[in-house]
Amino acid sequence: MEQKKVSVIVPVYNTLNYLKRCVDSICSQTYENLEIILVDDGSTDGTGELCDKLAGQDYRIRVYHKENGGASSARNLGLRNAVGDYVGFVDSDDYIDADVYKMMVELAVKKNYDVVQISRDERDEDGSKLPDVCIPPENIRFCDSETFLKELLLHKADCSFCTKLIKRELFNKRAFPEGELNEDFKLLTILLTQIDGIAILPKQGYHVVYRSSSTTRKRSKESFSRVFMDIVDNADRMQKLVNESYPALRRYAIRFNLYQRLDYMLHVPIVQMNRKNEFYVNVKKYLHRHIFSTIFNPYLTSKNKTYLLLLTVAPKTVRKVHKKKMEKRSALQSE
């Protein structure tokens, strides 16, 4: 039987020191029927030239150069040019084990699954393993869509497309939302309404590398990553989706909304906590309206509830105290 082709799309932007390891890990897959699509998203550090060089070393690699538009626009360009039966994604600073696509394709074909997920781990720039963000199952697990959504609402599921193998036909009328930093979450929740669920492999074969220079982590006193606003918007979308299609998950959705707003309130610069900031004002209003939900929701921890209630009553004071606490902790760690 002819092997299914997998299109592996890699959005690339200024990752000169990481790209070769990433591409080598894809080229070294034991599953060889791949097309590897590198999309240079306007790199300025020589990464684009490296893409072309790597393409000369493996006939399966194709390179597209474009003006900078973000990871979503790079992925969408890759999707428009992909011809595989399945699609996978790898971020250009991450890397994968050699048997990842073999394991995922075999399971997808055998069971006719629309989406198969490999488990992941997190690494720092030196390669040291960090605490797991998503706990892998002990055995292969099929998670139906409603259960997967529930686990997303509890921050237990992996929303990243990088860990997933997906039938290409699912992207025929869909694309990644451009201009957002939390783009995976929105598209995945849409796809979940169209499929039965996701099969999850226990092997941690995808390795996420956390870089201090990542665009989602850059902050100054006056500005902060838009991702903290995007996660609130995504929480609102989830609430609407749950209300319309999964009413049994309502309390989980409210918990998710409160948790995402807590994350926003702990990161928004204190100088932006004022009446002129409409987004901040609306977050505060939501917290005030859901005080009883904060107190009685069983899916929030005691620490979550304490912070939420304090930030509802005296947000600036709490943030100033929290900032001093973090500075003190950082000073003790550096001694």
Side-chain angles (χ1 to χ4, degrees), residues 265-281:
M265 291 292 280
L266 288 174
H267 288 90
V268 60
I270 296 174
V271 296
Q272 292 187 26
M273 300 172 76
N274 57 63
R275 294 180 182 178
K276 294 181 180 179
N277 186 342
E278 184 178 355
F279 196 94
Y280 166 74
V281 170

Side-chain angles (χ1 to χ4, degrees), residues 217-226 228 267-272:
R217 294 175 175 79
K218 290 181 180 178
R219 292 182 60 202
S220 70
K221 292 182 179 179
E222 290 74 33
S223 64
F224 73 123
S225 173
R226 195 185 64 253
F228 295 107
H267 288 90
V268 60
I270 296 174
V271 296
Q272 292 187 26

Side-chain angles (χ1 to χ4, degrees), residues 30-175:
T30 55
Y31 191 87
E32 297 181 351
N33 193 16
L34 309 174
E35 64 164 358
I36 303 165
I37 302 174
L38 306 183
V39 184
D40 170 32
D41 190 38
S43 297
T44 58
D45 66 345
T47 301
E49 290 78 2
L50 178 57
C51 287
D52 294 329
K53 180 180 178 181
L54 293 171
Q57 298 172 4
D58 193 310
Y59 72 94
R60 298 173 297 176
I61 298 176
R62 285 187 283 134
V63 179
Y64 295 88
H65 299 279
K66 62 184 287 295
E67 292 184 0
N68 181 254
S72 286
S73 66
R75 283 177 169 180
N76 288 337
L77 189 154
L79 284 170
R80 289 193 295 271
N81 290 278
V83 299
D85 302 286
Y86 294 92
V87 178
F89 302 89
V90 181
D91 283 345
S92 60
D93 43 5
D94 299 337
Y95 60 100
I96 58 178
D97 288 350
D99 57 352
V100 162
Y101 284 113
K102 182 176 186 294
M103 294 176 66
M104 290 201 289
V105 171
E106 286 181 349
L107 182 59
V109 172
K110 180 179 179 181
K111 298 291 188 177
N112 195 29
Y113 289 140
D114 293 316
V115 182
V116 174
Q117 175 180 298
I118 195 78
S119 294
R120 78 187 208 204
D121 63 18
E122 280 72 29
R123 307 273 173 159
D124 62 20
E125 291 180 280
D126 297 325
S128 300
K129 193 175 184 298
L130 300 171
D132 288 329
V133 173
C134 300
I135 306 300
E138 293 184 2
N139 301 294
I140 295 174
R141 175 194 179 204
F142 182 78
C143 189
D144 66 81
S145 290
E146 183 166 348
T147 300
F148 199 93
L149 278 168
K150 182 178 82 170
E151 294 186 1
L152 281 176
L153 294 170
L154 291 171
H155 291 91
K156 292 181 178 180
D158 182 3
C159 70
S160 173
F161 274 81
C162 287
T163 54
K164 295 170 179 63
L165 182 76
I166 304 163
K167 283 185 178 179
R168 186 169 63 89
E169 62 193 50
L170 289 173
F171 291 103
N172 286 347
K173 296 182 180 180
R174 300 178 186 87

